[in-house]
Amino acid sequence: MKYEGLDAAALSTRLRAPRCLALEKVTSTLDIVHELAGEGAPNGTLVLADEQVRGRGRQRRRWHSPKGSGIWMGTLRRPPTPVDGGVLAIRVGLAVVRALDALDVVAQLKWPNDVMVHDRKLAGVLCEARWRGQELSWIAIGIGINVHGPLPEEIARRAIALDEILPGANRLAVLDVLMPWLRDLSDAPTLTEQECAEYSRYDWLRGCHVTEPVAGVVQGLAPDGALLVRTADGVERVVGGGVVTA
Ligand code: BTN
């Protein structure tokens, strides 16, 4: 199929992906990435879908992915050395905010990896690793970006579509600025000081009071991707899941 007027070969050239699939309807682009990875697809393989019927988010949530209204993408990462999916997801979140920055859209990151604009969620990241015994086989990186509204009433209060802030936004224009950052993702096992500092500039939660899973004030990010929360007993680390703000 054509995706924003381009077929898979043209997308692969334009976005510099070694292999690209543009599909009309899938369960989830992550399912396709895992399938292709199992068949030996190369690092950087990109799957774009116009619609997902079983798009998934973190914590087994459903990801609303109607036809033509967003970027529902999956890309294959074969890190030469094991990298934690959580650390990688933070880097992917940074890649998304940098890309938005290039489009003059000011976005923030809500730990672990929600991309927020005007305090509403614009995009989400889900990284799924597959292991063979102790060995990491691959990571499927899933990114969902709401591009065209209107969003359904039940999510419109907490979510936002890009064309609300960037009229005329188009999926290809976003992919053009996002793909170079994704290609250059580091596979280092922990976040560098520079990455943590960059994250803190975009940090939506920094200074927020949270009540769950611990009560305290968010301090920032640790190099292993954990959220640091100052509680009555000192600084505690929150790993995985999410936090509830007061
Ligand atoms: C989250 O915020 O909970 C993560 C959402 C991730 C959604 C994207 S859409 C493309 C890819 N395929 C999926 O099924 N999920 C991810």
Side-chain angles (χ1 to χ4, degrees), residues 27-30 52 54-58 61 63 65 71-74 113-114 121 123-126 142-144:
T27 49
S28 155
T29 49
L30 287 165
Q52 297 185 123
R54 279 207 292 281
R56 52 182 178 267
R58 290 187 318 106
R61 292 197 193 105
W63 182 264
S65 338
I71 294 175
W72 321 130
M73 64 174 280
N113 39 38
D114 291 351
K121 183 162 169 173
V125 175
L126 180 64
I143 306 176

Side-chain angles (χ1 to χ4, degrees), residues 1 3 21-26 28-29 47-52 68 70-74 171:
M1 70 156 253
Y3 186 91
L21 266 71
L23 304 167
E24 211 166 301
K25 194 194 263 195
V26 298
S28 155
T29 49
V47 178
L48 298 167
D50 214 30
E51 179 180 5
Q52 297 185 123
I71 294 175
W72 321 130
M73 64 174 280
R171 295 178 297 182

Side-chain angles (χ1 to χ4, degrees), residues 11-213:
L11 286 164
S12 153
T13 308
R14 176 161 172 159
L15 302 172
R16 294 179 56 205
R19 185 167 172 199
C20 178
L21 266 71
L23 304 167
E24 211 166 301
K25 194 194 263 195
V26 298
T27 49
S28 155
T29 49
L30 287 165
D31 293 339
I32 312 293
V33 172
H34 288 305
E35 215 175 288
L36 295 171
E39 294 163 2
N43 181 52
T45 294
L46 172 66
V47 178
L48 298 167
D50 214 30
E51 179 180 5
Q52 297 185 123
V53 289
R54 279 207 292 281
R56 52 182 178 267
R58 290 187 318 106
Q59 300 175 310
R60 305 176 79 89
R61 292 197 193 105
R62 173 174 169 252
W63 182 264
H64 173 76
S65 338
K67 189 174 167 58
S69 63
I71 294 175
W72 321 130
M73 64 174 280
T75 179
L76 173 60
R77 191 90 191 159
R78 294 188 185 276
T81 48
V83 51
D84 177 71
V87 167
L88 189 66
I90 299 268
R91 290 197 177 112
V92 174
L94 283 171
V96 176
V97 289
R98 288 179 197 141
L100 291 167
D101 201 42
L103 299 172
D104 285 330
V105 174
V106 179
Q108 287 180 292
L109 289 165
K110 181 178 177 196
W111 187 87
N113 39 38
D114 291 351
V115 178
M116 310 292 288
V117 172
H118 297 326
D119 297 332
R120 284 148 76 199
K121 183 162 169 173
L122 175 80
V125 175
L126 180 64
C127 292
E128 295 180 342
R130 290 289 182 269
W131 297 80
R132 176 177 286 188
Q134 303 283 54
E135 209 176 295
L136 176 67
S137 298
W138 65 76
I139 298 181
I141 299 175
I143 306 176
I145 306 178
N146 304 317
V147 177
H148 302 295
L151 297 171
E153 212 178 300
E154 66 271 21
I155 59 171
R157 251 184 340 112
R158 28 188 188 91
I160 190 166
L162 190 59
D163 66 2
E164 208 176 298
I165 28 173
L166 194 66
N170 128 343
R171 295 178 297 182
L172 200 53
V174 179
L175 288 166
D176 279 338
V177 285
L178 175 60
M179 288 307 289
W181 290 116
L182 292 180
R183 257 197 320 272
D184 287 351
L185 280 186
S186 149
D187 291 310
T190 54
L191 300 165
T192 62
E193 222 172 274
Q194 201 185 341
E195 286 172 316
C196 289
E198 186 183 5
Y199 188 95
S200 77
R201 289 203 296 279
Y202 294 118
D203 194 349
W204 188 87
L205 279 173
R206 200 181 178 85
C208 279
H209 288 261
V210 293
T211 52
E212 296 282 341

